[in-house]
Amino acid sequence: MKKTLFAGLLAVAAGAASAATYTIDSHHANARFAIDHFGATTNTGGFYNLTGTVAFDPKAQTGSVDVRIPVSSLNTGNARFDEHLKSADLFNAAQYPEMRFQSSKWHFKGNKVSSVEGTLTLLGQTHPVTLKATKFNCYNSPMLKTEVCGGDFETVIDRSKWGMNYLVAAGMSKNVKLTIQIEAAKQ
């Protein structure tokens, strides 16, 4: 019994030790959003210069990700709109300069990542979200001379769960589509 328990603990420790660590490449990472604007148009924008880490073990089908999203990098292509989005009405960048996604569980379909469960911290509140993987792959980067893993992930959130209620009572949508793209280089 003791040998079996010890062997089991060693197997778990070996599995955790075999996960490779990757650093998010801020040049190949962004988080974009799209929200219906009163049924007339769709407002879009993005956050850039994301940072963080990924741990990934394809054989054990496990992983973790911790992504930091700087609110100051918000860009819609319209400086005046960017300033309003960064104001206390919406993202409140002065008080909450960073959003963060931290995974809790990765799901696989065959050998491919299919979704990642975790939490999103926005406006000082943390709530669960599941990011669906629309693309995920690892490759040997000819430029970085190391393995790079990355993917495209998406979800729809109800922004009011995080307290972002601006114009909801006036009829603007609560639902926001988030698309996160990440590439991370093996360390």
Side-chain angles (χ1 to χ4, degrees), residues 3 10 17 20 30 76-77 87 95 99 104 115 119 126 138 148 150 175 177 180-181 185:
K3 285 184 180 182
L10 283 177
N30 62 73
T76 64
S87 78
Q95 188 171 354
M99 291 182 283
S104 56
S115 65
T119 57
T126 302
C138 296
V148 170
N175 294 330
K177 181 178 182 180
I180 300 174
Q181 298 176 324

Side-chain angles (χ1 to χ4, degrees), residues 70-89:
V71 177
S72 63
S73 70
L74 188 145
N75 187 335
T76 64
N78 180 319
R80 194 167 149 208
F81 187 41
D82 293 349
E83 289 307 310
H84 182 241
L85 289 171
K86 292 177 193 177
S87 78
D89 285 341

Side-chain angles (χ1 to χ4, degrees), residues 1-14:
M1 178 75 164
K2 286 184 181 180
K3 285 184 180 182
T4 305
L5 179 60
F6 183 69
L9 290 173
L10 283 177
V12 169

Side-chain angles (χ1 to χ4, degrees), residues 63 65 101-106 116-119:
V65 63
F101 176 79
Q102 295 174 286
S103 71
S104 56
K105 183 170 181 160
W106 287 33
V116 177
E117 292 179 40
T119 57

Side-chain angles (χ1 to χ4, degrees), residues 95-136:
Q95 188 171 354
Y96 303 103
E98 180 179 272
M99 291 182 283
R100 187 174 184 184
F101 176 79
Q102 295 174 286
S103 71
S104 56
K105 183 170 181 160
W106 287 33
H107 297 275
F108 291 76
K109 187 172 187 179
N111 292 328
K112 293 287 187 180
V113 176
S114 59
S115 65
V116 177
E117 292 179 40
T119 57
L120 176 66
T121 302
L122 166 65
L123 296 173
Q125 298 184 40
T126 302
H127 297 286
V129 296
T130 298
L131 301 174
K132 177 185 173 196
T134 59
K135 186 183 288 190
F136 188 88

